[in-house]
Every structure is written in C-alpha cells, then in structure tokens.
Amino acid sequence: MSFGRASRRRFTLLAATAVAGALTLSACSDGTKAGGGGNTNFITGSGGVSTVDRADRVAAPKLDGEGLDGKPLDLADHRGKVVVLNVWGSWCGPCRLEAKYFAQVAEETADQGVQFVGINTRDPERDKAVNFEKDYGIEYPSFYDPIGKLILRFPKGTLNPQAIPSTVVIDRDGKIAARTLQALDADGLREMIDPIIAEK
C-alpha cells in the first residue's frame, strides 16, 4: 500500500470518528432534552441533573456481576429502595473530589431506604479500586467492571451513564429517575436524590 493511500485511509477514519463524535455530542447537548432521537421525556436542569417524570420512566437494566470484594453483586437485591448508582474509577480526578460526599450522603440516607452502589470501571487492577474505597471511607458495595460492560446495558435514549463520573438514580420501582454526568458535592447529591426519596 502506498503512503498516499494509507494517509487517505487514516484521514477518512479520523473524519468518520469526528463526525460520529459530533453527532453523539449534539444529541445530548440540547439543554432541555437529551439522549436518543425523538421525545426522550427527560429534562436537564441548570445543575446538570436530568430527570424523568414518574410516568415516563423506563426500567433500569439488569446489573449483576462481581463486587470489588470478589462476591456476587446484583442490583435486583435492592429493589424497593432508591438506588444511587455511581460510575467511578480510582484514576479519575473528579471521582476523587466527589467520593467523600458520596460516603457521607450514603450514611445519612441509609435509614431512608436508600442504597448506594458503585460501578468501578477502567481500573485494570482491583487493588487500586479497593484502596480508593478505603481512602475515602466508602462502605457501600461496588461492581468491579474493568472493561465497562455493565454501563453498556443501559438502553440508548435513556438516562444512561455516558461519562466517568456519572450518577444514576433508580426509583423504588426499579426505574431510571435521574442522572448527572458530572461530579457532585453533598448538596448537589441531596438535590438530586431527595425528590425521589420523597416519592410514595
């Protein structure tokens, strides 16, 4: 293969990737609607938290696998609770910034029927993730998902986690109620989950 043809192929591949990336970003940056095509029925507020009216929520995907502790972990075991699902990595700066707040709010809301669950991703070495949890006092369980396959179980066009960190709130009926694609402090986290805790 000649140098010119290889350069053209590489340029075409890069251009196609850039177009696909731009389309993905434009589909999620409307400010009032986000995700797939058509009416997605969720709204992004000024704090970067997207929410779905109760009547329009869709079921969360089945998430099961192995926890960081090596034991089986299944999201279905927490049905009937509000589940705060946080996608994180020990290598992620914003994850380190929000970790202490998640540990704090998890403890504060445990007696309100709230269960925090992490999805540790892109950490090829489990020890780094385990040490991260120890360093930040995180006592709730986390899936160990080094290649990110659990994140891909979320249906397209829903409030699926698309970044690290991402936080998704699942209501007591097992449906996706809210999402943010940015790090949160304790106040931001409470603003996101308190309305869902209050639902009866």
Side-chain angles (χ1 to χ4, degrees):
M1 181 184 301
S2 73
F3 177 74
R5 210 172 345 163
S7 293
R8 278 194 302 275
R9 266 199 190 148
R10 195 170 347 184
F11 176 79
T12 302
L13 180 61
L14 288 171
T17 302
V19 168
L23 288 172
T24 300
L25 288 174
S26 67
C28 298
S29 63
D30 179 3
T32 57
K33 302 285 183 187
N39 185 3
T40 56
N41 294 317
F42 53 90
I43 303 205
T44 303
S46 59
V49 175
S50 302
T51 58
V52 183
D53 286 336
R54 206 167 180 179
D56 296 321
R57 295 175 187 167
V58 299
K62 179 169 178 52
L63 296 178
D64 59 342
E66 189 175 293
L68 277 175
D69 59 4
K71 297 176 182 174
L73 183 56
D74 192 335
L75 200 64
D77 292 342
H78 304 295
R79 186 73 180 256
K81 293 185 175 184
V82 173
V83 176
V84 180
L85 191 65
N86 179 244
V87 181
W88 63 277
S90 67
W91 45 269
C92 161
C95 300
R96 289 192 288 273
L97 292 175
E98 72 177 3
K100 65 180 178 182
Y101 302 118
F102 276 69
Q104 171 192 330
V105 176
E107 186 177 335
E108 291 172 356
T109 58
D111 63 354
Q112 296 177 274
V114 179
Q115 175 64 54
F116 278 63
V117 177
I119 298 180
N120 169 257
T121 191
R122 311 271 171 83
D123 264 319
E125 297 173 26
R126 189 186 303 249
D127 289 348
K128 288 183 179 178
V130 169
N131 288 333
F132 178 97
E133 287 191 327
K134 286 178 184 172
D135 290 345
Y136 291 99
I138 296 171
E139 297 184 2
Y140 53 83
S142 283
F143 288 101
Y144 181 56
D145 187 31
I147 60 172
K149 63 183 179 180
L150 290 178
I151 298 168
L152 297 177
R153 293 187 187 177
F154 282 80
K156 290 182 181 178
T158 66
L159 293 179
N160 53 331
Q162 299 173 352
I164 302 167
S166 289
T167 301
V168 174
V169 182
I170 300 168
D171 68 17
R172 291 182 181 90
D173 297 321
K175 295 183 176 180
I176 303 169
R179 176 199 66 190
T180 187
L181 302 176
Q182 61 191 27
L184 294 172
D185 62 14
D187 291 339
L189 186 52
R190 290 306 296 253
E191 286 173 21
M192 182 180 185
I193 67 175
D194 282 351
I196 300 158
I197 294 171
E199 293 176 351
K200 298 297 178 195

